[in-house]
Amino acid sequence: MTQNRPALQDGLVIANFGNHIAVENVQGDIHCCVARKKIGAVICGDQVRWSPQNEGLGAIVDVLPRTSVLSRPDRRNKLKPVCANVSQLAIVNAAPSSDNNLNSKLLDQYLVASELSGIEAIIIINKSDLINSNTLTHLKAQLKRYSDLGYPIL
């Protein structure tokens, strides 16, 4: 006697809560799933194939090939994937208050990560309406090196 198994469905991982993974199906419904151990790490942004199971849960049976992976080092400096299939990284930085500089070290770290991952980066400066004209002039001078490298700045 053969059992009728539910058909596999395509989905997008939208959140990962350790053992439970939120998967959005093509209709926009969100399902709580678990990943089969043999498929490895499942991260936000992964395109997956999953199967409905008992009691409203689903089982992720396959992770489709990724177009990109953004990673960060963990406590042991081993790279840990954070998200997958990212097409653009928007780096938001607050405009510096008067007499302060832009946090270029953090901005540079994000830009390096985007370059290493092959992800297009865009720099966004918020709160620029709250700074005086001298600080704005200084900020524009700091950002010029990034625009000269081809990064869009908003």
Side-chain angles (χ1 to χ4, degrees):
M1 182 159 144
T2 60
Q3 274 186 316
N4 289 339
R5 293 185 181 194
L8 291 178
Q9 297 185 30
D10 292 329
L12 172 69
V13 175
I14 59 171
N16 187 328
F17 305 104
N19 292 337
H20 292 93
I21 300 165
V23 175
E24 183 178 13
N25 66 10
V26 294
Q27 292 81 21
D29 302 321
I30 298 172
H31 300 270
C32 183
C33 296
V34 294
R36 299 263 165 90
K37 290 182 181 183
K38 64 181 180 179
I39 64 171
V42 179
I43 57 177
C44 288
D46 273 335
Q47 297 285 336
V48 296
R49 306 261 314 162
W50 66 281
S51 174
Q53 303 292 304
N54 295 333
E55 300 174 19
L57 288 176
I60 297 172
V61 298
D62 193 21
V63 175
L64 302 178
R66 297 170 176 153
T67 59
S68 65
V69 177
L70 186 62
S71 301
R72 66 171 177 80
D74 64 10
R75 288 180 279 195
R76 295 180 304 267
N77 275 338
K78 185 178 178 185
L79 285 181
K80 176 183 177 183
V82 176
C83 56
N85 302 316
V86 176
S87 58
Q88 188 175 58
L89 180 64
I91 305 166
V92 180
N93 205 328
S97 59
S98 61
D99 301 330
N100 287 332
N101 288 322
L102 184 70
N103 188 348
S104 60
K105 182 180 178 185
L106 183 61
L107 179 56
D108 291 346
Q109 288 175 339
Y110 283 121
L111 290 172
V112 167
S114 73
E115 291 291 334
L116 290 174
S117 302
I119 300 169
E120 179 185 338
I122 183 170
I123 301 168
I124 300 171
I125 305 297
N126 68 347
K127 300 184 181 182
S128 59
D129 57 324
L130 302 178
I131 60 177
N132 64 42
S133 62
N134 290 339
T135 304
L136 182 59
T137 301
H138 183 68
L139 174 62
K140 286 180 179 180
Q142 288 181 294
L143 291 172
K144 185 175 181 330
R145 68 178 144 203
Y146 298 106
S147 63
D148 287 349
L149 291 171
Y151 292 108
I153 300 173
L154 300 177

